[in-house]
Amino acid sequence: MHITFLTYGTDGDTRPLLALAHEVIARGHDAHVLADVAGAPHAQALGIPFTVLPGDMRAAFLPGGAFSALMKDGADMTRLMRA
């Protein structure tokens, strides 16, 4: 069986999927993870095939990042996720 895991979040979203992919591989299946660049070193350390998605979630929340104007205006999480 081949399982592809996809997330576009920070480490808190990516690391649990890497652990799950690691277990899937340990049980003899194929797994591949697609996620933010921050997960790449962790995937490499575990020997998990990994594809970096475009963008950088951490940078998006920094001043001047994609979400900074929304956060500055006091956006709630629903509005932020829609953006």
Side-chain angles (χ1 to χ4, degrees):
M1 181 183 334
H2 181 85
I3 301 173
T4 301
F5 297 92
L6 169 66
T7 184
Y8 199 68
T10 57
D11 284 343
D13 301 298
T14 305
R15 285 187 179 202
L17 290 182
L18 289 172
L20 186 56
H22 187 260
E23 185 62 24
V24 164
I25 292 168
R27 292 177 182 236
H29 302 285
D30 295 321
H32 192 103
V33 177
L34 294 87
D36 181 71
V37 66
H42 307 294
Q44 184 177 18
L46 294 170
I48 300 169
F50 188 89
T51 299
V52 174
L53 295 174
D56 183 340
M57 283 301 289
R58 288 181 185 166
F61 287 97
L62 294 174
F67 297 127
S68 65
L70 289 171
M71 293 174 69
K72 188 177 187 180
D73 293 340
D76 63 20
M77 219 39 187
T78 302
R79 183 174 165 209
L80 187 60
M81 290 298 103
R82 286 183 183 155

